[in-house]
């Protein structure tokens, strides 16, 4: 397995975290004549108790083995949080194996029934690559029909940086940055794989926001996210997003969007559900009439 890309990601992550820290934040005297922002490589090496030369090789993506003890020392020196520490350990662990052979689409019928049971609340299933595997009708009512989007673009990053989500979500920037940081935290095992590099390259070419924020290398675990949606028919809705992990070693997750109390969102979701059923009923009656007409014509 080729680990060059993983080493490059590790080097970039260390550099971005180093440059984001100021000397005074780690107990070092301020240097008024600094030419560059953040800490120097020598500062990080001293704080971690390792040689500056050896640390420099890490930032140069050299092929060197790193012990967990040293990595934890670097995490302490760089003031990494728990999610960032886990990401660092994942990138540096060349013995780790990815599970990128998980099917790109489709879910078991039981999982689809779980999604459908959440109606009128939007719900969908995510794969380990952050591709959307399945969804319920409420998700379609709120955001549009994913079936009309090419499978390759049924991906959280494409929806935020290459789709219509920007127009619908009032707090688009914090939502998009959060999704991007969560994607990066969850996919450290995959950074050397073709699907990952292709996704990043194509999004970098199509979105200046993605390209700029990707360079910042932010890492974040999922937390309850509030999303403000501007729907063309019912107006503003406020949804709180939560995640349930599917315990089958598939890497799948269920994303639930629950209306925030006191915002009127529950009533609007119910109204959308009723409208959706009306449209479906009308379509069924039209098809039934057409079918009856054909049968009557054929009978004679």
């Amino acid at each position: 397995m080729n680990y060059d890309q993983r080493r490059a990601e590790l080097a970039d992550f260390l550099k971005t975290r180093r440059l984001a820290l100021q000397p005074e934040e780690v107990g070092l005297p301020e240097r008024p004549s600094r030419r560059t922002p953040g800490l120097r490589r020598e500062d990080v090496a001293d704080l971690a108790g390792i040689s500056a030369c050896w640390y420099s090789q890490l930032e140069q993506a050299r092929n060197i083995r790193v012990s967990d003890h040293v990595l934890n020392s670097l995490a302490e020196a760089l003031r990494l949080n728990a999610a960032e520490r886990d990401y660092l350990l994942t990138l540096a662990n060349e013995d780790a194996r990815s599970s990128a052979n998980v099917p790109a689409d489709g879910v078991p019928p039981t999982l689809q029934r779980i999604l459908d049971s959440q109606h009128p609340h939007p719900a969908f299933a995510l794969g380990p690559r952050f591709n959307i595997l399945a969804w319920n009708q409420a998700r379609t009512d709120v955001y549009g029909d994913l079936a009309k989007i090419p499978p390759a673009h049924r991906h959280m990053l494409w929806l935020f940086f290459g789709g219509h989500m920007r127009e619908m979500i009032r707090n688009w920037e914090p939502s998009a940055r959060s999704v991007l940081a969560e994607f990066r935290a969850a996919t450290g095992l995959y950074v050397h794989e073709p699907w990952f590099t292709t996704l990043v390259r194509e999004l970098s070419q199509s979105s200046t926001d993605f390209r700029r924020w990707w360079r910042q290398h932010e890492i974040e675990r999922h937390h309850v996210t509030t999303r403000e949606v501007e729907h063309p028919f019912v107006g503003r809705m406020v949804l709180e997003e939560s995640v349930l992990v599917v315990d089958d070693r598939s890497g799948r997750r269920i994303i639930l969007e629950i209306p925030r109390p006191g915002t009127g969102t529950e009533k609007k979701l119910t109204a959308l559900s009723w409208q959706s059923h009306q449209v479906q009923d009308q379509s069924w009656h039209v098809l039934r009439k057409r079918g009856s007409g054909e049968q009557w014509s054929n009978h004679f």
Side-chain angles (χ1 to χ4, degrees):
M1 187 179 290
N2 183 358
Y3 288 96
D4 290 346
Q5 184 61 34
R6 193 182 290 185
R7 295 189 195 102
E9 288 288 314
L10 173 63
D12 183 68
F13 179 61
L14 290 171
K15 183 178 180 180
T16 57
R17 297 286 79 75
R18 173 173 62 84
L19 296 179
L21 275 178
Q22 302 304 317
E24 52 271 24
E25 293 181 77
V26 296
L28 296 174
E30 184 177 358
R31 296 187 298 273
S33 59
R34 284 184 300 157
R35 295 181 179 180
T36 57
L39 301 180
R40 299 173 303 186
R41 289 177 177 175
E42 294 82 359
D43 295 330
V44 176
D46 287 342
L47 290 168
I50 60 179
S51 75
C53 179
W54 194 85
Y55 176 75
S56 295
Q57 292 183 60
L58 273 179
E59 279 202 16
Q60 293 165 1
R62 299 286 185 86
N63 184 12
I64 57 176
R65 301 285 294 188
V66 192
S67 70
D68 286 351
H69 174 74
V70 170
L71 291 171
N72 283 313
S73 296
L74 285 173
E76 291 292 334
L78 293 169
R79 303 297 192 266
L80 302 186
N81 60 34
E84 292 169 331
R85 183 189 296 264
D86 289 346
Y87 181 71
L88 175 66
L89 292 170
T90 297
L91 290 178
N93 183 9
E94 296 191 356
D95 295 326
R97 296 291 185 268
S98 71
S99 57
N101 59 345
V102 172
D105 52 19
V107 297
T110 302
L111 186 51
Q112 182 64 60
R113 288 195 291 270
I114 292 174
L115 297 177
D116 294 338
S117 72
Q118 302 304 306
H119 201 81
H121 303 155
F124 58 97
L126 270 186
R129 303 178 182 186
F130 271 48
N131 51 320
I132 299 180
L133 306 173
W135 56 94
N136 65 0
Q137 181 60 41
R139 204 275 172 198
T140 298
D141 295 342
V142 173
Y143 296 104
D145 192 358
L146 284 169
K148 297 180 180 179
I149 298 175
H153 285 185
R154 288 178 205 158
H155 190 281
M156 289 297 288
L157 294 186
W158 272 115
L159 293 180
F160 272 91
F161 292 96
H164 65 284
M165 299 286 278
R166 185 167 194 157
E167 300 173 2
M168 291 193 67
I169 298 178
R170 287 186 172 189
N171 58 334
W172 176 83
E173 180 171 334
S175 294
R177 295 190 69 149
S178 179
V179 168
L180 181 56
E182 291 166 23
F183 169 80
R184 205 150 197 175
T187 56
L189 284 174
Y190 309 141
V191 297
H192 59 283
E193 297 186 1
W195 72 266
F196 184 96
T197 55
T198 298
L199 176 68
V200 173
R201 182 180 68 252
E202 292 179 350
L203 283 168
S204 296
Q205 292 170 350
S206 65
S207 171
T208 56
D209 289 319
F210 176 88
R211 186 166 61 249
R212 182 172 69 256
W213 296 336
W214 186 257
R215 295 193 192 106
Q216 296 177 15
H217 218 134
E218 295 177 342
I219 302 297
E220 178 181 299
R221 283 184 181 149
H222 190 89
H223 57 275
V224 176
T225 301
T226 300
R227 189 162 293 155
E228 297 184 36
V229 179
E230 188 65 36
H231 194 276
F233 297 129
V234 298
R236 177 177 177 268
M237 293 187 288
V238 183
L239 297 163
E240 295 180 338
E241 184 180 278
S242 297
V243 177
L244 302 178
V245 177
V246 180
D247 188 18
D248 62 358
R249 299 185 180 181
S250 67
R252 298 187 184 102
R253 295 185 291 170
I254 295 176
I255 312 299
L256 305 177
E257 297 191 16
I258 309 301
R260 172 175 281 186
T263 62
T265 302
E266 182 74 52
K267 291 182 179 179
K268 293 178 180 180
L269 289 174
T270 301
L272 284 175
S273 175
W274 180 85
Q275 183 182 47
S276 175
H277 283 306
Q278 289 292 103
V279 171
Q280 291 175 12
D281 288 344
Q282 290 173 8
S283 299
W284 184 81
H285 284 301
V286 169
L287 290 173
R288 186 183 180 188
K289 287 181 180 179
R290 287 177 180 174
S292 299
E294 290 174 0
Q295 292 173 10
W296 185 263
S297 175
N298 291 337
H299 181 73
F300 286 90

